[in-house]
Amino acid sequence: MTIAAQLFRGLRLTLVLWLLTVVVITLPLLGLARLVAPDAATGSLLRSGDRVVGSRLIAQDFSSARYLQGRPAGAPNLAASNPELATRVAAAASRWQSAGVAQPAADLLLDSGSGVDPHISLEAARQQLPRLARERQLPLAELERLIPQHQEGPLGLQAIEPVVNVLTFNLALDQLASSSTTQSPPVPARR
Amino acid sequence: MLPWLLAAVTLAAVVLTGPSLGRHLFEVFDDRPQPAWDRWLNPIEAALLRWIGDAGRSAESASGYLAPLLISNALFALPALALLLLQPHWLNPLGFGGLRWDLALHTTISFLTNIDQQHLIPEQSLGTLAQLGAMQFLMFVSAGTGLAVGFAVIRGFSGRPIGNFHRDLLHSLTRVLIPASLLLALFLLVCGVPMTLAPPLQITTLEGGRQLLPRGPIALFEAIKQLGENGGGFVSANSAHPYENPTLLTNLVSTWAMLIIPAATIDAFGRFVGNRRQSTLLLALVFGLLLIGAAVAMGAEQAGNPVLESWLSGGNLQGKELRFGAGLTGLWAAVTTGTMTGAVNGAIDAAMPLTILTTLFNLFLQVVVCGQGTGIAYLLVFVLLAVFLTGLMVGRTPEFLGRKVEKPQVVWASLILLIHPIFVLIPAALTLAGGSDLAGNSNPGSHGISQVVYEYASAAANNGSGLEGLGDGTPWWNLTTSVSLLGGRFLPIAALLALADGFRRKPALEPSPGTLRTDTGLFTGVTAVVLVILGALTFFPVLALGPIAEALTLAS
């Protein structure tokens, strides 16, 4: 068989397989996705009214003391032996200590792999509740009740340990605040 | 305890489901009737082969199989390279421009060779059309090429004609990779992996910041990435990203998906040679190696980093996702390097030294459950050498599967094993000699050595994972790893086909009382020793300089 004939066959093969693996199988699956899991297919979006405020799966940056804060991001590739890792952890620990958390949970000190890990541990969430209660002038018990509502865990096969979804928790926190300002007397009166 | 339990369940699921898929693979590649599939697929496959212009007859020789493989692989690169260099506006919602030439070349080669090393940040450089038309296309055809070669070699070892490349490639797609990927994609989708052509979404966060949600047609991409031992992420964070791997369940299923086709291929080998005891023992061998590595990595990650003891306790969560935890991220690291997938669900760079030792060991050996198709071929090469060595020791003519193992086989087998260290150690030595500016090290000391060696080992071993702090987006890295990618893929393929085709031409012998049986526990043990000595000892000096030295530093 001549080289030209072989090339010609190869070109036809490439065309066939490109159409097959890029178009023919992808399009039906896209269609099916809209039918069986329209919410997941488009990114598990969270809406407030008709505005998209985020995705249930993707963490957002929270630096305000009024919000539950998630895992640090930015240097996931620091080696275990790299002195910068210890420096970074020490700095994070002292930031938490000055915010009133004496022994911050490990997941608040160590970077997530994706940079958008949506979860923190139960311990990490509970450690932040006193601050949130203070900042938002809400009773601690009310915040504690929020945790189980935003907990995901091994039983649902969502996570290996019970964890809290930071973004949905914070959305609920905002709603709590807005409903308490509309329905109840101003904050100081609630003591 | 839970991570160990879930790891055991996942590996048990591979062992339990492997034989069913093994039988399917055997039927597909030995042209057995498959009533449920044939009715639909036979007419389509026949029409496609006719249109391509191939009658589907078996190749006469190794080169008859290799030539169409090389030609079609070269042609597969063209649409991908063109898409990456040009990136037209169509289906390119964020308006990304073409990639720099060396990056486009490296990305094309690394996906064409089933390695999927990425020196770019996909969500910041690739539009949807490039993801689908270049990356997804190459992930399917490279996995199909690997499977085709694997079964051509198995045919040779079992005394059958070597087969027809076009036909094998088409069948591996239509009967294995596409149906399996569609099923897995559907599952992932239901668990939360996006599958949409809608553009990445720019949103305003609760605190008023800007965030881009990198959604896209991820579910199918993810499925072939795992099942095809590809490993290239739709986003840079790969399977650590919640859009690729949203839950503990998807993480376990994705771990299973990396293992299932290699395990089934070994099972199918046993059916081809009519000796399932042989394949079961080989499976036990590679699973044994995987279990040891997995236990070391899981144990090391769960024990945590002693340097950080004054601030925190528990497992090493640096660079890891909380929903998987330290233990299962360690398991993934062992599996992804053993199977040559190269997907990561956490930063291997931030893993404990013993985990990095495990991953490098797997990359050096190349057979810890094996890569897509070609892995079983490497395993058979090690078995041939074990046969040869034991034959020398006991003074019997070495025989494997009823054929004599003679000089040509041993020469080919030795050459195949030499290719790997050549494409790993020489470029790694050159890069390290160039200093840390050339290497782009992000971590100091012995870990920096690991970063460089890992990058080339991953390229030559068909893996694609990396110690990703490394600044590898430079022309030096792109071009030198391209050499290792191509050399580590196509040279062994050519040599393996030649070896298998030569083997099948030898006269078949009836077993005699003097024959050394290869389907025994003792012989499998000897094979394990040969594997470790030949496969890993070559690399022991770099293991000592890299992860072992780092482990000692941490312990002191």
Side-chain angles (χ1 to χ4, degrees):
Chain A
M1 196 171 212
T2 64
I3 290 283
Q6 292 222 22
L7 275 176
F8 189 62
R9 279 199 333 194
L11 281 173
R12 285 193 165 197
L13 178 78
T14 308
L15 181 63
V16 163
L17 295 187
W18 195 88
L19 289 172
L20 181 64
T21 59
V22 178
V23 183
V24 174
I25 61 173
T26 310
L27 290 182
L29 195 66
L30 284 164
L32 200 58
R34 298 174 76 148
L35 285 179
V36 298
D39 173 54
T42 47
S44 306
L45 303 178
L46 294 167
R47 290 184 167 80
S48 167
D50 45 358
R51 191 173 71 91
V52 175
V53 293
S55 163
R56 188 170 52 78
L57 298 175
I58 310 283
Q60 294 184 0
D61 251 348
F62 289 104
S63 51
S64 155
R66 291 172 50 79
Y67 283 117
L68 190 66
Q69 295 181 4
R71 294 192 60 192
N77 286 313
L78 280 180
S81 61
N82 193 332
E84 269 179 52
L85 176 65
T87 315
R88 190 175 162 85
V89 167
S94 70
R95 269 199 309 277
W96 281 107
Q97 276 149 9
S98 55
V101 182
Q103 277 278 320
D107 53 304
L108 292 177
L109 301 178
L110 297 173
D111 290 54
S112 75
S114 62
V116 287
D117 188 343
H119 300 124
I120 53 175
S121 63
L122 285 185
E123 189 195 359
R126 290 204 182 103
Q127 289 174 339
Q128 301 187 49
L129 294 188
R131 186 195 76 228
L132 291 175
R134 201 168 54 240
E135 291 285 330
R136 296 205 171 230
Q137 316 252 330
L138 289 168
L140 196 59
E142 198 170 342
L143 294 177
E144 266 161 8
R145 272 198 302 278
L146 269 187
I147 287 190
Q149 295 168 20
H150 299 279
Q151 188 176 323
E152 298 171 13
L155 283 181
L157 288 173
Q158 293 135 330
I160 187 98
E161 60 170 307
V163 291
V164 175
N165 188 313
V166 176
L167 179 57
T168 61
F169 184 98
N170 282 335
L171 276 169
L173 212 51
D174 275 353
Q175 265 158 22
L176 213 60
S178 61
S179 59
S180 62
T181 45
T182 49
Q183 285 162 19
S184 42
V187 174
R190 296 185 70 209
R191 26 159 297 129
Chain B
M1 214 55 236
L2 190 57
W4 296 96
L5 182 71
L6 291 175
V9 169
T10 308
L11 297 180
V14 176
V15 173
L16 289 176
T17 49
S20 327
L21 184 60
R23 197 173 82 196
H24 176 69
L25 290 175
F26 172 58
E27 290 168 352
V28 169
F29 290 101
D30 203 34
D31 279 326
R32 311 248 157 177
Q34 292 188 293
W37 298 71
D38 290 345
R39 204 153 27 113
W40 305 101
L41 288 175
N42 273 351
I44 302 175
E45 290 159 348
L48 288 179
L49 276 175
R50 233 186 354 264
W51 189 72
I52 291 163
D54 190 325
R57 274 194 301 276
S58 175
E60 303 282 327
S61 63
S63 62
Y65 198 92
L66 184 64
L69 185 155
L70 293 177
I71 289 171
S72 55
N73 268 262
L75 292 171
F76 294 155
L78 294 181
L81 191 60
L83 279 176
L84 293 184
L85 281 172
L86 300 174
Q87 288 230 62
H89 293 297
W90 196 62
L91 268 180
N92 181 2
L94 300 182
F96 294 124
L99 301 182
R100 208 177 60 214
W101 69 273
D102 57 303
L103 194 57
L105 184 71
H106 173 269
T107 307
T108 303
I109 291 176
S110 94
F111 277 71
L112 175 73
T113 48
N114 195 237
I115 296 161
D116 298 29
Q117 200 167 46
Q118 290 169 304
H119 291 171
L120 48 75
I121 298 173
E123 66 270 35
Q124 292 173 12
S125 39
L126 298 179
T128 316
L129 181 63
Q131 294 274 29
L132 287 175
M135 311 302 45
Q136 182 175 307
F137 166 63
L138 289 180
M139 292 211 283
F140 271 104
V141 293
S142 65
T145 300
L147 264 188
V149 170
F151 280 95
V153 171
I154 289 177
R155 287 196 196 104
F157 271 84
S158 62
R160 290 168 170 78
I162 200 157
N164 174 296
F165 174 69
H166 291 141
R167 201 180 137 87
D168 282 350
L169 175 59
L170 189 61
H171 283 194
S172 35
L173 289 169
T174 53
R175 296 188 183 228
V176 185
L177 295 169
I178 287 177
S181 299
L182 287 175
L183 284 177
L184 181 60
L186 206 56
F187 175 83
L188 292 173
L189 167 69
V190 173
C191 294
V193 180
M195 185 71 201
T196 177
L197 287 185
L201 194 62
Q202 180 89 55
I203 58 151
T204 306
T205 64
L206 290 196
E207 287 195 345
R210 311 278 280 162
Q211 188 183 32
L212 193 69
L213 301 178
R215 56 186 190 169
I218 304 180
L220 183 58
F221 194 98
E222 189 65 19
I224 184 61
K225 168 191 142 200
Q226 298 298 111
L227 284 166
E229 263 74 72
N230 288 287
F234 194 88
V235 293
S236 172
N238 211 295
S239 290
H241 198 281
Y243 271 167
E244 289 201 21
N245 193 2
T247 64
L248 174 64
L249 179 62
T250 57
N251 186 63
L252 297 174
V253 172
S254 298
T255 308
W256 169 87
M258 292 192 269
L259 288 161
I260 184 63
I261 292 183
T265 305
I266 298 177
D267 181 84
F269 163 71
R271 298 172 195 266
F272 264 91
V273 298
N275 183 349
R276 294 205 50 217
R277 198 182 141 78
Q278 179 77 65
S279 59
T280 308
L281 281 167
L282 285 178
L283 258 180
L285 166 65
V286 292
F287 258 83
L289 289 169
L290 177 72
L291 283 180
I292 295 171
V296 168
M298 289 179 73
E301 294 309 315
Q302 290 190 315
N305 189 345
V307 173
L308 304 178
E309 261 165 10
S310 31
W311 298 282
L312 52 90
S313 60
N316 172 25
L317 284 173
Q318 175 68 14
K320 292 188 179 58
E321 297 287 286
L322 210 54
R323 60 192 180 283
F324 315 139
L328 288 178
T329 310
L331 172 72
W332 181 296
V335 170
T336 194
T337 47
T339 57
M340 300 309 158
T341 308
V344 291
N345 72 343
I348 300 182
D349 218 354
M352 298 309 294
L354 286 182
T355 305
I356 296 176
L357 179 70
T358 301
T359 55
L360 277 172
F361 182 79
N362 285 348
L363 293 181
F364 294 154
L365 236 55
Q366 305 197 81
V367 295
V368 183
V369 190
C370 303
Q372 189 89 358
T374 48
I376 173 86
Y378 284 116
L379 188 56
L380 293 177
V381 165
F382 278 114
V383 174
L384 269 191
L385 288 174
V387 167
F388 180 67
L389 290 177
T390 46
L392 286 183
M393 280 190 263
V394 298
R396 290 178 185 168
T397 318
E399 278 175 32
F400 182 49
L401 303 170
R403 287 178 164 75
K404 277 190 183 154
V405 178
E406 290 169 312
K407 189 181 160 198
Q409 286 74 47
V410 177
V411 170
W412 278 120
S414 313
L415 278 178
I416 290 165
L417 291 192
L418 274 177
I419 291 171
H420 195 41
I422 287 174
F423 283 105
V424 177
L425 295 179
I426 293 178
L430 286 176
T431 305
L432 287 169
S436 64
D437 280 343
L438 180 68
N441 282 133
S442 65
N443 287 306
S446 38
H447 192 94
I449 296 178
S450 300
Q451 281 188 315
V452 170
V453 173
Y454 195 111
E455 191 72 5
Y456 288 112
S458 162
N462 223 306
N463 186 265
S465 62
L467 302 185
E468 287 301 343
L470 188 71
D472 51 19
T474 62
W476 168 261
W477 272 115
N478 285 332
L479 298 178
T480 53
T481 46
S482 290
V483 174
S484 293
L485 294 165
L486 286 171
R489 171 76 163 176
F490 292 109
L491 289 181
I493 283 183
L496 287 166
L497 288 171
L499 170 69
D501 190 56
F503 195 71
R504 87 176 166 91
R505 289 165 195 279
K506 303 174 82 71
L509 309 169
E510 285 302 312
S512 70
T515 307
L516 181 77
R517 284 182 56 187
T518 56
D519 55 351
T520 62
L522 178 65
F523 180 80
T524 309
V526 174
T527 311
V529 174
V530 169
L531 259 173
V532 173
I533 292 177
L534 289 181
L537 227 52
T538 326
F539 295 97
F540 186 75
V542 290
L543 288 178
L545 291 172
I548 294 177
E550 192 188 2
L552 293 173
T553 323
L554 276 192
S556 64

